[in-house]
Short mmCIF file of all heavy atoms in Angstrom, two decimals:
data_model
loop_
_atom_site.label_atom_id
_atom_site.label_comp_id
_atom_site.label_asym_id
_atom_site.label_seq_id
_atom_site.Cartn_x
_atom_site.Cartn_y
_atom_site.Cartn_z
N GLN A 252 -10.88 23.12 20.68
CA GLN A 252 -10.58 23.06 19.24
C GLN A 252 -9.37 22.14 19.06
O GLN A 252 -8.33 22.34 19.66
CB GLN A 252 -10.26 24.44 18.71
CG GLN A 252 -9.98 24.43 17.23
CD GLN A 252 -9.73 25.83 16.69
OE1 GLN A 252 -9.88 26.80 17.40
NE2 GLN A 252 -9.38 25.90 15.44
N LEU A 253 -9.54 21.15 18.22
CA LEU A 253 -8.46 20.20 17.95
C LEU A 253 -7.71 20.62 16.71
O LEU A 253 -8.31 20.97 15.70
CB LEU A 253 -9.03 18.79 17.79
CG LEU A 253 -9.75 18.25 19.02
CD1 LEU A 253 -10.39 16.93 18.72
CD2 LEU A 253 -8.78 18.12 20.18
N THR A 254 -6.41 20.57 16.78
CA THR A 254 -5.59 21.02 15.65
C THR A 254 -5.13 19.88 14.77
O THR A 254 -4.53 20.10 13.73
CB THR A 254 -4.33 21.74 16.17
OG1 THR A 254 -3.56 20.82 16.93
CG2 THR A 254 -4.71 22.94 17.01
N GLY A 255 -5.36 18.66 15.18
CA GLY A 255 -4.84 17.52 14.42
C GLY A 255 -3.44 17.16 14.86
O GLY A 255 -2.84 16.22 14.35
N GLN A 256 -2.88 17.90 15.81
CA GLN A 256 -1.53 17.60 16.29
C GLN A 256 -1.61 16.71 17.51
O GLN A 256 -2.53 16.84 18.32
CB GLN A 256 -0.80 18.90 16.65
CG GLN A 256 -0.57 19.81 15.46
CD GLN A 256 0.28 19.14 14.40
OE1 GLN A 256 1.28 18.50 14.68
NE2 GLN A 256 -0.14 19.28 13.15
N PRO A 257 -0.66 15.80 17.68
CA PRO A 257 -0.70 14.91 18.84
C PRO A 257 -0.51 15.69 20.12
O PRO A 257 0.17 16.72 20.15
CB PRO A 257 0.47 13.95 18.60
CG PRO A 257 1.36 14.66 17.65
CD PRO A 257 0.49 15.56 16.81
N ALA A 258 -1.12 15.19 21.20
CA ALA A 258 -1.00 15.84 22.50
C ALA A 258 0.40 15.65 23.07
O ALA A 258 0.95 16.54 23.69
CB ALA A 258 -2.05 15.27 23.45
N THR A 259 0.96 14.46 22.90
CA THR A 259 2.30 14.19 23.41
C THR A 259 3.03 13.29 22.41
O THR A 259 2.42 12.77 21.48
CB THR A 259 2.25 13.44 24.76
OG1 THR A 259 1.72 12.12 24.53
CG2 THR A 259 1.39 14.17 25.78
N ASP A 260 4.33 13.10 22.65
CA ASP A 260 5.09 12.20 21.78
C ASP A 260 4.59 10.76 21.89
O ASP A 260 4.83 9.94 21.01
CB ASP A 260 6.58 12.25 22.13
CG ASP A 260 7.21 13.57 21.68
OD1 ASP A 260 6.62 14.25 20.82
OD2 ASP A 260 8.28 13.91 22.20
N ASP A 261 3.90 10.44 22.98
CA ASP A 261 3.36 9.09 23.15
C ASP A 261 2.26 8.79 22.14
O ASP A 261 1.88 7.65 21.97
CB ASP A 261 2.82 8.90 24.56
CG ASP A 261 3.90 8.93 25.61
OD1 ASP A 261 5.07 8.69 25.27
OD2 ASP A 261 3.58 9.18 26.79
N ASP A 262 1.72 9.83 21.51
CA ASP A 262 0.63 9.67 20.57
C ASP A 262 1.12 9.54 19.14
O ASP A 262 0.35 9.70 18.21
CB ASP A 262 -0.33 10.85 20.69
CG ASP A 262 -1.01 10.90 22.05
OD1 ASP A 262 -1.32 9.84 22.59
OD2 ASP A 262 -1.19 12.02 22.55
N VAL A 263 2.41 9.26 18.96
CA VAL A 263 2.98 9.11 17.62
C VAL A 263 3.60 7.72 17.51
O VAL A 263 4.35 7.29 18.40
CB VAL A 263 4.04 10.19 17.33
CG1 VAL A 263 4.69 9.96 15.98
CG2 VAL A 263 3.41 11.57 17.41
N VAL A 264 3.27 7.02 16.44
CA VAL A 264 3.81 5.69 16.18
C VAL A 264 4.59 5.75 14.87
O VAL A 264 4.07 6.25 13.87
CB VAL A 264 2.68 4.63 16.07
CG1 VAL A 264 3.25 3.27 15.70
CG2 VAL A 264 1.89 4.56 17.36
N HIS A 265 5.83 5.27 14.88
CA HIS A 265 6.65 5.22 13.68
C HIS A 265 6.86 3.75 13.29
O HIS A 265 7.24 2.95 14.14
CB HIS A 265 8.03 5.84 13.94
CG HIS A 265 8.00 7.30 14.19
ND1 HIS A 265 8.08 8.24 13.19
CD2 HIS A 265 7.88 8.00 15.34
CE1 HIS A 265 8.01 9.44 13.71
NE2 HIS A 265 7.90 9.33 15.01
N LEU A 266 6.63 3.44 12.02
CA LEU A 266 6.90 2.11 11.49
C LEU A 266 7.74 2.27 10.23
O LEU A 266 7.44 3.13 9.39
CB LEU A 266 5.62 1.37 11.13
CG LEU A 266 4.76 0.84 12.26
CD1 LEU A 266 3.47 0.24 11.71
CD2 LEU A 266 5.52 -0.20 13.06
N THR A 267 8.75 1.44 10.10
CA THR A 267 9.56 1.42 8.88
C THR A 267 9.58 0.00 8.35
O THR A 267 9.89 -0.93 9.10
CB THR A 267 10.99 1.90 9.18
OG1 THR A 267 10.92 3.23 9.73
CG2 THR A 267 11.84 1.92 7.92
N VAL A 268 9.21 -0.14 7.08
CA VAL A 268 9.18 -1.47 6.44
C VAL A 268 9.90 -1.35 5.09
O VAL A 268 10.01 -0.26 4.53
CB VAL A 268 7.74 -1.98 6.25
CG1 VAL A 268 7.03 -2.17 7.57
CG2 VAL A 268 6.93 -1.08 5.33
N PRO A 269 10.36 -2.48 4.56
CA PRO A 269 10.93 -2.43 3.21
C PRO A 269 9.89 -1.90 2.21
O PRO A 269 8.70 -2.18 2.36
CB PRO A 269 11.28 -3.89 2.92
CG PRO A 269 11.49 -4.49 4.27
CD PRO A 269 10.47 -3.81 5.16
N ALA A 270 10.33 -1.13 1.24
CA ALA A 270 9.43 -0.59 0.22
C ALA A 270 9.09 -1.69 -0.78
O ALA A 270 9.58 -1.72 -1.92
CB ALA A 270 10.06 0.62 -0.47
N ASP A 271 8.27 -2.60 -0.33
CA ASP A 271 7.87 -3.78 -1.09
C ASP A 271 6.42 -4.05 -0.77
O ASP A 271 6.04 -4.03 0.40
CB ASP A 271 8.76 -4.97 -0.69
CG ASP A 271 8.41 -6.22 -1.42
OD1 ASP A 271 7.34 -6.80 -1.15
OD2 ASP A 271 9.23 -6.65 -2.28
N GLY A 272 5.62 -4.30 -1.79
CA GLY A 272 4.19 -4.54 -1.58
C GLY A 272 3.88 -5.63 -0.59
O GLY A 272 2.82 -5.60 0.05
N GLY A 273 4.79 -6.58 -0.42
CA GLY A 273 4.56 -7.67 0.52
C GLY A 273 4.50 -7.23 1.98
O GLY A 273 4.02 -7.97 2.82
N TYR A 274 4.97 -6.01 2.26
CA TYR A 274 4.97 -5.52 3.64
C TYR A 274 3.85 -4.54 3.94
O TYR A 274 3.72 -4.06 5.07
CB TYR A 274 6.31 -4.86 3.96
CG TYR A 274 7.44 -5.85 4.02
CD1 TYR A 274 8.20 -6.13 2.89
CD2 TYR A 274 7.72 -6.54 5.19
CE1 TYR A 274 9.22 -7.05 2.93
CE2 TYR A 274 8.74 -7.46 5.24
CZ TYR A 274 9.48 -7.72 4.11
OH TYR A 274 10.50 -8.66 4.14
N LEU A 275 3.02 -4.24 2.95
CA LEU A 275 1.95 -3.27 3.17
C LEU A 275 0.90 -3.76 4.15
O LEU A 275 0.23 -2.96 4.80
CB LEU A 275 1.31 -2.87 1.85
CG LEU A 275 2.24 -2.13 0.87
CD1 LEU A 275 1.46 -1.69 -0.35
CD2 LEU A 275 2.93 -0.98 1.53
N GLY A 276 0.77 -5.06 4.29
CA GLY A 276 -0.18 -5.61 5.26
C GLY A 276 0.14 -5.16 6.68
O GLY A 276 -0.77 -4.95 7.49
N VAL A 277 1.42 -4.97 6.98
CA VAL A 277 1.82 -4.49 8.31
C VAL A 277 1.26 -3.08 8.52
O VAL A 277 0.72 -2.77 9.59
CB VAL A 277 3.35 -4.50 8.44
CG1 VAL A 277 3.79 -3.86 9.75
CG2 VAL A 277 3.90 -5.91 8.33
N LEU A 278 1.37 -2.23 7.51
CA LEU A 278 0.88 -0.86 7.63
C LEU A 278 -0.65 -0.81 7.67
O LEU A 278 -1.24 -0.03 8.42
CB LEU A 278 1.40 0.01 6.50
CG LEU A 278 2.93 0.15 6.44
CD1 LEU A 278 3.34 1.04 5.27
CD2 LEU A 278 3.48 0.68 7.75
N ARG A 279 -1.29 -1.66 6.88
CA ARG A 279 -2.76 -1.72 6.92
C ARG A 279 -3.25 -2.17 8.29
O ARG A 279 -4.22 -1.62 8.83
CB ARG A 279 -3.29 -2.66 5.84
CG ARG A 279 -3.18 -2.10 4.44
CD ARG A 279 -3.96 -2.94 3.44
NE ARG A 279 -3.49 -4.32 3.37
CZ ARG A 279 -2.59 -4.79 2.54
NH1 ARG A 279 -2.00 -3.98 1.66
NH2 ARG A 279 -2.25 -6.06 2.54
N THR A 280 -2.57 -3.15 8.89
CA THR A 280 -2.96 -3.64 10.20
C THR A 280 -2.74 -2.58 11.28
O THR A 280 -3.60 -2.38 12.14
CB THR A 280 -2.17 -4.92 10.56
OG1 THR A 280 -2.46 -5.92 9.55
CG2 THR A 280 -2.55 -5.46 11.92
N ALA A 281 -1.62 -1.88 11.21
CA ALA A 281 -1.36 -0.81 12.18
C ALA A 281 -2.41 0.30 12.03
O ALA A 281 -2.92 0.83 13.02
CB ALA A 281 0.04 -0.24 11.97
N THR A 282 -2.74 0.63 10.79
CA THR A 282 -3.75 1.66 10.54
C THR A 282 -5.08 1.26 11.17
O THR A 282 -5.71 2.07 11.86
CB THR A 282 -3.94 1.86 9.02
OG1 THR A 282 -2.69 2.28 8.45
CG2 THR A 282 -5.02 2.88 8.71
N ALA A 283 -5.51 0.04 10.92
CA ALA A 283 -6.78 -0.44 11.46
C ALA A 283 -6.77 -0.45 12.99
O ALA A 283 -7.74 -0.06 13.63
CB ALA A 283 -7.10 -1.83 10.92
N GLY A 284 -5.66 -0.88 13.58
CA GLY A 284 -5.57 -0.94 15.04
C GLY A 284 -5.65 0.43 15.68
O GLY A 284 -6.34 0.62 16.68
N LEU A 285 -4.95 1.40 15.10
CA LEU A 285 -4.98 2.75 15.65
C LEU A 285 -6.34 3.41 15.45
O LEU A 285 -6.85 4.10 16.34
CB LEU A 285 -3.87 3.59 15.05
CG LEU A 285 -2.46 3.17 15.50
CD1 LEU A 285 -1.40 3.86 14.66
CD2 LEU A 285 -2.25 3.45 16.98
N ALA A 286 -6.94 3.20 14.29
CA ALA A 286 -8.28 3.76 14.04
C ALA A 286 -9.31 3.13 14.99
O ALA A 286 -10.20 3.81 15.49
CB ALA A 286 -8.67 3.54 12.58
N ALA A 287 -9.17 1.84 15.25
CA ALA A 287 -10.08 1.17 16.20
C ALA A 287 -9.90 1.75 17.59
O ALA A 287 -10.86 1.92 18.34
CB ALA A 287 -9.84 -0.33 16.19
N ARG A 288 -8.66 2.06 17.95
CA ARG A 288 -8.38 2.67 19.26
C ARG A 288 -9.11 3.99 19.40
O ARG A 288 -9.54 4.37 20.50
CB ARG A 288 -6.88 2.85 19.41
CG ARG A 288 -6.46 3.52 20.68
CD ARG A 288 -4.95 3.61 20.78
NE ARG A 288 -4.59 4.45 21.88
CZ ARG A 288 -3.59 5.29 21.88
NH1 ARG A 288 -2.82 5.39 20.82
NH2 ARG A 288 -3.32 6.03 22.92
N LEU A 289 -9.27 4.72 18.29
CA LEU A 289 -9.99 5.98 18.29
C LEU A 289 -11.51 5.79 18.15
O LEU A 289 -12.24 6.75 18.02
CB LEU A 289 -9.48 6.87 17.15
CG LEU A 289 -8.10 7.45 17.33
CD1 LEU A 289 -7.62 8.10 16.05
CD2 LEU A 289 -8.10 8.46 18.46
N GLN A 290 -11.92 4.55 18.12
CA GLN A 290 -13.33 4.18 18.00
C GLN A 290 -13.96 4.67 16.69
O GLN A 290 -15.09 5.12 16.64
CB GLN A 290 -14.13 4.67 19.21
CG GLN A 290 -13.64 4.04 20.49
CD GLN A 290 -14.39 4.52 21.71
OE1 GLN A 290 -15.05 5.55 21.71
NE2 GLN A 290 -14.30 3.73 22.77
N PHE A 291 -13.16 4.58 15.60
CA PHE A 291 -13.70 4.85 14.28
C PHE A 291 -14.72 3.76 13.97
O PHE A 291 -14.59 2.62 14.43
CB PHE A 291 -12.59 4.79 13.23
CG PHE A 291 -11.78 6.05 13.08
CD1 PHE A 291 -11.44 6.84 14.16
CD2 PHE A 291 -11.33 6.43 11.84
CE1 PHE A 291 -10.68 7.99 14.00
CE2 PHE A 291 -10.57 7.58 11.67
CZ PHE A 291 -10.25 8.37 12.75
N ALA A 292 -15.72 4.08 13.16
CA ALA A 292 -16.68 3.08 12.70
C ALA A 292 -15.97 2.11 11.76
O ALA A 292 -14.93 2.45 11.17
CB ALA A 292 -17.83 3.78 11.96
#
Side-chain angles (χ1 to χ4, degrees):
Q252 182 177 354
L253 299 174
T254 63
Q256 296 300 316
T259 68
D260 288 341
D261 293 339
D262 296 323
V263 176
V264 176
H265 293 271
L266 286 176
T267 302
V268 297
D271 179 289
Y274 291 92
L275 296 185
V277 173
L278 299 180
R279 287 191 301 267
T280 300
T282 299
L285 290 169
R288 178 177 170 218
L289 289 170
Q290 298 179 341
F291 277 37

